[in-house]
mmCIF file of all heavy atoms in Angstrom:
data_model
loop_
_atom_site.group_PDB
_atom_site.id
_atom_site.type_symbol
_atom_site.label_atom_id
_atom_site.label_comp_id
_atom_site.label_asym_id
_atom_site.label_seq_id
_atom_site.Cartn_x
_atom_site.Cartn_y
_atom_site.Cartn_z
ATOM 1 N N PHE P 123 139.948 -5.279 154.007
ATOM 2 C CA PHE P 123 139.877 -4.848 155.398
ATOM 3 C C PHE P 123 140.480 -5.947 156.265
ATOM 4 O O PHE P 123 140.312 -7.134 155.965
ATOM 5 C CB PHE P 123 138.411 -4.659 155.835
ATOM 6 C CG PHE P 123 137.725 -3.469 155.254
ATOM 7 C CD1 PHE P 123 136.855 -3.610 154.181
ATOM 8 C CD2 PHE P 123 137.910 -2.211 155.799
ATOM 9 C CE1 PHE P 123 136.184 -2.509 153.651
ATOM 10 C CE2 PHE P 123 137.247 -1.102 155.278
ATOM 11 C CZ PHE P 123 136.386 -1.256 154.199
ATOM 12 N N PRO P 124 141.173 -5.602 157.356
ATOM 13 C CA PRO P 124 141.615 -6.645 158.291
ATOM 14 C C PRO P 124 140.386 -7.366 158.853
ATOM 15 O O PRO P 124 139.282 -6.811 158.883
ATOM 16 C CB PRO P 124 142.341 -5.877 159.391
ATOM 17 C CG PRO P 124 142.483 -4.486 158.923
ATOM 18 C CD PRO P 124 141.551 -4.262 157.791
ATOM 19 N N ASP P 125 140.582 -8.589 159.298
ATOM 20 C CA ASP P 125 139.466 -9.415 159.765
ATOM 21 C C ASP P 125 138.612 -8.726 160.821
ATOM 22 O O ASP P 125 137.380 -8.789 160.774
ATOM 23 C CB ASP P 125 139.973 -10.758 160.303
ATOM 24 C CG ASP P 125 140.519 -11.656 159.207
ATOM 25 O OD1 ASP P 125 140.236 -11.406 158.012
ATOM 26 O OD2 ASP P 125 141.243 -12.615 159.546
ATOM 27 N N ASP P 126 139.255 -8.055 161.794
ATOM 28 C CA ASP P 126 138.468 -7.421 162.866
ATOM 29 C C ASP P 126 137.623 -6.262 162.347
ATOM 30 O O ASP P 126 136.487 -6.066 162.768
ATOM 31 C CB ASP P 126 139.364 -6.982 164.028
ATOM 32 C CG ASP P 126 140.381 -5.921 163.649
ATOM 33 O OD1 ASP P 126 140.802 -5.854 162.462
ATOM 34 O OD2 ASP P 126 140.781 -5.144 164.541
ATOM 35 N N ARG P 127 138.154 -5.487 161.394
ATOM 36 C CA ARG P 127 137.387 -4.367 160.836
ATOM 37 C C ARG P 127 136.282 -4.900 159.911
ATOM 38 O O ARG P 127 135.169 -4.375 159.900
ATOM 39 C CB ARG P 127 138.284 -3.394 160.065
ATOM 40 C CG ARG P 127 139.345 -2.701 160.897
ATOM 41 C CD ARG P 127 138.812 -1.922 162.097
ATOM 42 N NE ARG P 127 138.648 -2.817 163.229
ATOM 43 C CZ ARG P 127 137.669 -2.772 164.140
ATOM 44 N NH1 ARG P 127 136.747 -1.851 164.098
ATOM 45 N NH2 ARG P 127 137.575 -3.636 165.117
ATOM 46 N N ALA P 128 136.596 -5.932 159.142
ATOM 47 C CA ALA P 128 135.572 -6.547 158.284
ATOM 48 C C ALA P 128 134.429 -7.093 159.133
ATOM 49 O O ALA P 128 133.255 -6.957 158.767
ATOM 50 C CB ALA P 128 136.190 -7.651 157.433
ATOM 51 N N ALA P 129 134.763 -7.670 160.274
ATOM 52 C CA ALA P 129 133.724 -8.204 161.174
ATOM 53 C C ALA P 129 132.867 -7.087 161.749
ATOM 54 O O ALA P 129 131.639 -7.216 161.824
ATOM 55 C CB ALA P 129 134.369 -9.016 162.292
ATOM 56 N N ALA P 130 133.488 -5.984 162.141
ATOM 57 C CA ALA P 130 132.730 -4.841 162.683
ATOM 58 C C ALA P 130 131.779 -4.274 161.623
ATOM 59 O O ALA P 130 130.635 -3.932 161.921
ATOM 60 C CB ALA P 130 133.690 -3.755 163.181
ATOM 61 N N ILE P 131 132.249 -4.182 160.393
ATOM 62 C CA ILE P 131 131.405 -3.689 159.299
ATOM 63 C C ILE P 131 130.269 -4.672 159.045
ATOM 64 O O ILE P 131 129.108 -4.276 158.880
ATOM 65 C CB ILE P 131 132.251 -3.441 158.039
ATOM 66 C CG1 ILE P 131 133.186 -2.250 158.270
ATOM 67 C CG2 ILE P 131 131.362 -3.224 156.814
ATOM 68 C CD1 ILE P 131 134.286 -2.097 157.238
ATOM 69 N N ALA P 132 130.573 -5.965 159.023
ATOM 70 C CA ALA P 132 129.552 -6.996 158.784
ATOM 71 C C ALA P 132 128.457 -6.956 159.845
ATOM 72 O O ALA P 132 127.273 -7.146 159.536
ATOM 73 C CB ALA P 132 130.195 -8.371 158.725
ATOM 74 N N VAL P 133 128.828 -6.685 161.094
ATOM 75 C CA VAL P 133 127.836 -6.563 162.166
ATOM 76 C C VAL P 133 126.861 -5.435 161.849
ATOM 77 O O VAL P 133 125.642 -5.583 162.007
ATOM 78 C CB VAL P 133 128.526 -6.340 163.530
ATOM 79 C CG1 VAL P 133 127.555 -5.821 164.579
ATOM 80 C CG2 VAL P 133 129.189 -7.624 164.005
ATOM 81 N N GLU P 134 127.377 -4.297 161.385
ATOM 82 C CA GLU P 134 126.516 -3.151 161.087
ATOM 83 C C GLU P 134 125.656 -3.403 159.854
ATOM 84 O O GLU P 134 124.479 -3.021 159.828
ATOM 85 C CB GLU P 134 127.342 -1.877 160.931
ATOM 86 C CG GLU P 134 128.023 -1.444 162.204
ATOM 87 C CD GLU P 134 127.050 -1.228 163.356
ATOM 88 O OE1 GLU P 134 126.032 -0.528 163.163
ATOM 89 O OE2 GLU P 134 127.301 -1.763 164.444
ATOM 90 N N VAL P 135 126.206 -4.038 158.833
ATOM 91 C CA VAL P 135 125.408 -4.376 157.651
ATOM 92 C C VAL P 135 124.269 -5.300 158.067
ATOM 93 O O VAL P 135 123.116 -5.095 157.676
ATOM 94 C CB VAL P 135 126.281 -5.008 156.547
ATOM 95 C CG1 VAL P 135 125.419 -5.581 155.425
ATOM 96 C CG2 VAL P 135 127.272 -3.979 155.987
ATOM 97 N N ALA P 136 124.564 -6.301 158.892
ATOM 98 C CA ALA P 136 123.536 -7.246 159.357
ATOM 99 C C ALA P 136 122.505 -6.554 160.246
ATOM 100 O O ALA P 136 121.306 -6.849 160.157
ATOM 101 C CB ALA P 136 124.189 -8.406 160.103
ATOM 102 N N ARG P 137 122.951 -5.639 161.097
ATOM 103 C CA ARG P 137 122.045 -4.927 162.008
ATOM 104 C C ARG P 137 120.936 -4.202 161.243
ATOM 105 O O ARG P 137 119.804 -4.127 161.698
ATOM 106 C CB ARG P 137 122.838 -3.922 162.842
ATOM 107 C CG ARG P 137 121.981 -3.085 163.787
ATOM 108 C CD ARG P 137 122.853 -2.187 164.619
ATOM 109 N NE ARG P 137 123.971 -3.001 165.092
ATOM 110 C CZ ARG P 137 124.582 -2.870 166.250
ATOM 111 N NH1 ARG P 137 124.196 -1.929 167.081
ATOM 112 N NH2 ARG P 137 125.579 -3.639 166.580
ATOM 113 N N TYR P 138 121.280 -3.670 160.084
ATOM 114 C CA TYR P 138 120.317 -2.883 159.316
ATOM 115 C C TYR P 138 119.829 -3.612 158.058
ATOM 116 O O TYR P 138 119.245 -2.998 157.162
ATOM 117 C CB TYR P 138 120.930 -1.527 158.950
ATOM 118 C CG TYR P 138 121.280 -0.726 160.179
ATOM 119 C CD1 TYR P 138 122.597 -0.590 160.601
ATOM 120 C CD2 TYR P 138 120.276 -0.134 160.942
ATOM 121 C CE1 TYR P 138 122.907 0.133 161.746
ATOM 122 C CE2 TYR P 138 120.586 0.588 162.084
ATOM 123 C CZ TYR P 138 121.904 0.720 162.478
ATOM 124 O OH TYR P 138 122.197 1.438 163.609
ATOM 125 N N ALA P 139 120.015 -4.915 158.009
ATOM 126 C CA ALA P 139 119.635 -5.690 156.824
ATOM 127 C C ALA P 139 118.138 -5.634 156.541
ATOM 128 O O ALA P 139 117.726 -5.725 155.381
ATOM 129 C CB ALA P 139 120.092 -7.140 156.981
ATOM 130 N N ASP P 140 117.321 -5.467 157.575
ATOM 131 C CA ASP P 140 115.872 -5.445 157.382
ATOM 132 C C ASP P 140 115.319 -4.061 157.073
ATOM 133 O O ASP P 140 114.121 -3.925 156.822
ATOM 134 C CB ASP P 140 115.166 -6.001 158.628
ATOM 135 C CG ASP P 140 115.424 -7.483 158.817
ATOM 136 O OD1 ASP P 140 115.746 -8.168 157.813
ATOM 137 O OD2 ASP P 140 115.312 -7.967 159.957
ATOM 138 N N VAL P 141 116.173 -3.049 157.074
ATOM 139 C CA VAL P 141 115.710 -1.702 156.743
ATOM 140 C C VAL P 141 115.447 -1.646 155.238
ATOM 141 O O VAL P 141 116.285 -2.060 154.425
ATOM 142 C CB VAL P 141 116.757 -0.637 157.139
ATOM 143 C CG1 VAL P 141 116.367 0.739 156.628
ATOM 144 C CG2 VAL P 141 116.941 -0.626 158.649
ATOM 145 N N GLU P 142 114.279 -1.143 154.880
ATOM 146 C CA GLU P 142 113.921 -1.035 153.471
ATOM 147 C C GLU P 142 114.913 -0.144 152.744
ATOM 148 O O GLU P 142 115.255 0.946 153.226
ATOM 149 C CB GLU P 142 112.513 -0.469 153.339
ATOM 150 C CG GLU P 142 112.016 -0.418 151.916
ATOM 151 C CD GLU P 142 110.577 0.064 151.811
ATOM 152 O OE1 GLU P 142 109.889 0.120 152.846
ATOM 153 O OE2 GLU P 142 110.173 0.402 150.697
ATOM 154 N N ARG P 143 115.357 -0.603 151.603
ATOM 155 C CA ARG P 143 116.312 0.167 150.794
ATOM 156 C C ARG P 143 115.550 1.210 149.975
ATOM 157 O O ARG P 143 114.488 0.924 149.429
ATOM 158 C CB ARG P 143 117.091 -0.735 149.841
ATOM 159 C CG ARG P 143 118.030 -1.785 150.471
ATOM 160 C CD ARG P 143 118.623 -1.364 151.748
ATOM 161 N NE ARG P 143 119.752 -2.191 152.158
ATOM 162 C CZ ARG P 143 119.983 -2.541 153.406
ATOM 163 N NH1 ARG P 143 119.142 -2.187 154.365
ATOM 164 N NH2 ARG P 143 121.030 -3.245 153.730
ATOM 165 N N PRO P 144 116.107 2.426 149.868
ATOM 166 C CA PRO P 144 115.445 3.465 149.083
ATOM 167 C C PRO P 144 115.333 3.056 147.611
ATOM 168 O O PRO P 144 116.230 2.412 147.062
ATOM 169 C CB PRO P 144 116.371 4.673 149.222
ATOM 170 C CG PRO P 144 117.237 4.381 150.400
ATOM 171 C CD PRO P 144 117.338 2.891 150.503
ATOM 172 N N ALA P 145 114.252 3.446 146.981
ATOM 173 C CA ALA P 145 114.025 3.103 145.578
ATOM 174 C C ALA P 145 115.098 3.687 144.663
ATOM 175 O O ALA P 145 115.397 3.119 143.615
ATOM 176 C CB ALA P 145 112.644 3.590 145.145
ATOM 177 N N HIS P 146 115.696 4.805 145.045
ATOM 178 C CA HIS P 146 116.696 5.464 144.202
ATOM 179 C C HIS P 146 118.094 4.860 144.347
ATOM 180 O O HIS P 146 119.002 5.233 143.608
ATOM 181 C CB HIS P 146 116.755 6.966 144.511
ATOM 182 C CG HIS P 146 117.117 7.244 145.929
ATOM 183 N ND1 HIS P 146 116.151 7.444 146.900
ATOM 184 C CD2 HIS P 146 118.319 7.333 146.558
ATOM 185 C CE1 HIS P 146 116.764 7.652 148.056
ATOM 186 N NE2 HIS P 146 118.069 7.583 147.871
#
Side-chain angles (χ1 to χ4, degrees):
F123 288 101
D125 291 343
D126 63 332
R127 297 303 85 217
I131 291 167
V133 164
E134 294 303 311
V135 170
R137 178 177 315 214
Y138 299 105
D140 292 337
V141 172
E142 184 176 347
R143 295 328 195 218
H146 60 266

